[in-house]
Amino acid sequence: MILWPCPMLRRMVYLFDSFELDLVRAELRLRGTRCPVEPQVFALIAFLVEHRERLVSRQELFEKVWDGRVVSDSALSSRIKSARKVLGDNGRAQRLIRTLHGQGFRFVAEVGIAGGAIGKPLAMPSEVRPQAGPGAGESAARPSIAVLPFRLIGDAGPYASIAEGLPHELISELARCRWLLVIARGSSFRLGGDSIDMIETGRRLDARYCLTGTVEVSGSRLTVTTELVDTRVGDVFWAERYRGLLDDVHAVREEIRCSILSTLEIQIPLHEADAVRLSVSEDLDAWSAYHLGLQHIYRFNDRDNAAAAALFSQAIERDPKFARAHAGLSSVHFQTAFMRQSEDTAGETALARRCAQRGMDLDPLDPFVNFTMGRSYWLEADLEQALAWLERAITLSPNYAQGVYATAWTEVMAGEADAARRHADLAMRLSPLDPLYYAMLGTRGFAHIASGEFAEAAGWADRAAHSPGAHVLIAMIAAVAQVLAGNPAKGSNWADTARARKPALTRDNFFHAFPMRSPAMRSRISGALQALGF
């Protein structure tokens, strides 16, 4: 079992009871003294600690710790017993590792991170949560979601299990989104049926959102319909229908699952921002200020970047331990340096790194925090470090489209055009409505430039530059691609567009933003820029 793909995580040491769990050195230490522990037992403890915010099923442990090999329940019980023994725990006390019979295991001790903040574990899952309103307690600070079992339409035959299997997979994957509270299956699966009152369901589960759906099998076709409901008012604000052939039901199910997960990453934050847009800014809580900041950060202009900085700073003032707000502020400084919105690019680069590091200290398992750390290395053209952090972001959340896109960008700058093309395609498939979709298209165009496929590059770059929200450097990419494709007039048009938006743009600005490794690629692009008058 590979615990961490990134070699630079020197701070990845968990603290609990009197123990230190050092994932980099693969050591368990008690008051500074190393404890002998079998590698598989160490992997088991590490996995439970990493996923302490939720219940871990026996099947998941078989898949992750034993790499999917067939082993007996007694083997797992033996490893759990060994883990408890080395931690000074036992099956009766269950101080650190708790068993939920028939369901799985949970690490329940208070855990801290060396150099970071201490976080208490979430409450143990219950059959149905207390009847608190969705605005109470922790759910007021960040959104919560309940995924209900999907309803079967007609006779699905052997495929009826999809109605429970797909929502169960979604719960497991959504639990990795650390900005979202996910109601446990044991609670949400008790509520369902044909006539669900969503407002009442939200109240009973203390869930701000509910995801529901239907599964229908007709001949050789499978149709899955999903709806995302705001339980505060009972309104459906996102719905989608997926269709596929039963001949490849597993691939269809996987595609549906990935699509839903990536869509929720976009739709819920957008809805959160819309809900608070009319609020008085001084009255915003940390979560609301953060989401409004996201609305500005993707527009890549001075005015919106300043607005995002103010909102992220307000979120940090309200909650200094809000890791994503620090990551948002890192994005502000990244953009200032990347777009040359300040003369002090070195200072902005240092601030981008510092804010990302503060986010890492607070929550090293958040994909967005890791994403911002990776992007901070772009600014220094340190592509190896950037790629390590970005790979870690998508390891933590494989459906994190922006992390996948940023990996593609880094790969194309490093000369790995084929890998970049695959990742760019995956990012666009995962998040077709992403605010950075134009950048995904631009990265695909860059990959074709790297491969010497200039006509294809021009097509992708044009699409990128025409896309909503595309910043001025995307127009420069389109200009370069058209010149290389033998279309100097179209290239000049895009160059004029870029100059109209930012007259002071130069070749140096372009290569500072896009630090490509290949001398041949750099030479081709430099010649095109020179021909365009940059």
Side-chain angles (χ1 to χ4, degrees):
M1 176 182 178
I2 300 175
L3 292 174
W4 299 106
C6 176
M8 300 108 60
L9 301 182
R10 303 182 180 89
R11 295 176 180 240
M12 193 56 64
V13 179
Y14 291 107
L15 310 175
F16 56 87
D17 208 30
S18 299
F19 290 95
E20 299 174 9
L21 185 70
D22 190 330
L23 297 187
V24 174
R25 296 182 179 178
E27 290 181 357
L28 178 70
R29 298 184 289 270
L30 176 61
R31 300 185 185 89
T33 301
R34 184 176 178 180
C35 302
V37 57
E38 298 175 29
Q40 204 167 58
V41 174
F42 181 90
L44 174 64
I45 295 171
F47 192 79
L48 290 173
V49 171
E50 293 168 34
H51 298 86
R52 61 195 178 278
E53 74 279 1
R54 64 179 176 88
L55 180 74
V56 175
S57 69
R58 302 173 74 89
Q59 185 60 39
E60 189 173 3
L61 288 174
F62 287 139
E63 292 174 359
K64 301 299 184 181
V65 178
W66 277 271
D67 293 327
R69 296 193 301 274
V70 178
V71 295
S72 65
D73 284 346
S74 62
L76 175 56
S77 299
S78 173
R79 297 298 187 275
I80 291 288
K81 184 177 179 180
S82 297
R84 283 180 171 141
K85 183 176 181 180
V86 76
L87 296 175
D89 196 6
N90 58 62
R92 177 174 296 179
Q94 297 190 16
R95 284 187 313 109
L96 306 180
I97 300 174
R98 188 167 300 174
T99 302
L100 275 74
H101 292 290
Q103 299 183 58
F105 305 91
R106 182 83 182 275
F107 196 87
V108 296
E110 186 172 305
V111 177
I113 297 172
I118 291 177
K120 294 183 178 180
L122 301 178
M124 292 297 293
S126 58
E127 290 298 308
V128 177
R129 291 189 171 202
Q131 296 185 0
E138 188 175 3
S139 60
R142 57 177 173 151
S144 52
I145 188 170
V147 182
L148 305 185
F150 288 5
R151 183 167 56 89
L152 281 170
I153 297 178
D155 182 10
Y159 303 103
S161 61
I162 294 174
E164 287 201 3
L166 182 56
H168 177 70
E169 291 174 349
L170 290 170
I171 290 171
S172 298
E173 290 293 328
L174 285 170
R176 304 170 80 170
C177 298
R178 299 175 66 79
W179 56 271
L180 187 64
L181 287 170
V182 183
I183 307 303
R185 179 183 186 276
S187 295
S188 62
F189 270 42
R190 292 193 52 162
L191 302 176
D194 294 340
S195 56
I196 305 172
D197 184 328
M198 284 299 171
I199 296 177
E200 175 64 15
T201 297
R203 189 184 69 82
R204 292 188 66 190
L205 294 173
D206 194 14
R208 194 178 302 180
Y209 299 102
C210 273
L211 182 70
T212 66
T214 61
V215 173
E216 181 178 8
V217 174
S218 177
S220 62
R221 298 191 68 84
L222 169 70
T223 301
V224 176
T225 302
T226 56
E227 292 183 344
L228 187 60
V229 180
D230 184 335
T231 63
R232 291 166 289 191
V233 291
D235 291 343
V236 175
F237 67 91
W238 171 77
E240 189 59 85
R241 177 171 293 174
Y242 305 92
R243 293 185 177 93
L245 295 176
L246 290 171
D247 291 345
D248 199 8
V249 66
H250 296 299
V252 172
R253 193 191 73 230
E254 175 69 10
E255 184 174 347
I256 292 171
R257 183 181 66 84
C258 291
S259 176
I260 292 173
L261 288 166
S262 57
T263 299
L264 294 186
E265 280 268 11
I266 299 295
Q267 293 294 336
I268 291 179
L270 284 176
H271 190 70
E272 289 285 300
D274 288 341
V276 299
R277 195 181 302 280
L278 300 179
S279 301
V280 179
S281 60
E282 291 77 6
D283 295 334
L284 295 176
D285 61 21
W287 191 248
S288 298
Y290 165 74
H291 276 292
L292 283 180
L294 289 182
Q295 298 295 288
H296 292 279
I297 196 62
Y298 295 118
R299 294 173 183 165
F300 279 78
N301 62 65
D302 296 24
R303 180 177 177 181
D304 281 289
N305 203 32
L311 286 160
F312 291 139
S313 297
Q314 184 175 343
I316 292 168
E317 183 180 349
R318 298 284 192 273
D319 182 0
K321 295 182 179 180
F322 188 1
R324 282 208 161 195
H326 289 280
L329 204 53
S330 174
S331 292
V332 167
H333 294 297
F334 164 82
Q335 185 182 139
T336 303
F338 182 77
M339 298 297 296
R340 292 296 180 101
Q341 294 168 349
S342 166
E343 294 297 324
D344 186 13
T345 55
E348 292 296 325
T349 299
L351 287 170
R353 177 76 46 74
R354 187 184 309 164
C355 292
Q357 182 61 62
R358 180 55 180 153
M360 283 295 300
D361 290 342
L362 292 167
D363 191 352
L365 301 182
D366 188 301
F368 178 55
V369 173
N370 284 267
F371 166 79
T372 57
M373 178 64 88
R375 288 205 309 179
S376 74
Y377 284 97
W378 286 7
L379 301 171
E380 296 174 339
D382 190 341
L383 301 180
E384 287 79 10
Q385 294 271 45
L387 193 58
W389 286 103
L390 295 168
E391 287 177 344
R392 174 168 155 74
I394 58 177
T395 297
L396 291 166
S397 182
N399 299 295
Y400 182 36
Q402 291 187 8
V404 175
Y405 139 69
T407 300
W409 185 96
T410 308
E411 288 168 337
V412 77
M413 292 299 108
E416 300 172 19
D418 290 341
R421 191 178 306 181
R422 289 193 300 271
H423 277 126
D425 287 346
L426 175 58
M428 288 185 281
R429 189 165 71 249
L430 286 171
S431 190
L433 299 178
D434 202 280
L436 290 179
Y437 193 80
Y438 66 84
M440 300 171 187
L441 292 167
T443 299
R444 186 69 148 84
F446 247 136
H448 285 290
I449 291 176
S451 300
E453 299 163 346
F454 302 132
E456 292 88 346
W460 286 99
D462 263 22
R463 286 180 61 190
H466 280 300
S467 296
H471 57 68
V472 66
L473 294 176
I474 301 296
M476 288 187 77
I477 296 174
V480 166
Q482 289 292 353
V483 168
L484 293 175
N487 304 315
K490 290 183 179 179
S492 293
N493 288 339
W494 280 121
D496 291 343
T497 298
R499 288 193 186 91
R501 294 175 63 182
K502 196 163 186 177
L505 278 175
T506 66
R507 266 183 295 170
D508 287 344
N509 295 153
F510 188 88
F511 287 118
H512 177 268
F514 304 116
M516 56 208 69
R517 288 285 176 81
S518 166
M521 182 178 177
R522 185 182 178 95
S523 177
R524 283 196 295 263
I525 291 175
S526 181
L529 288 170
Q530 186 173 10
L532 290 163
F534 288 107

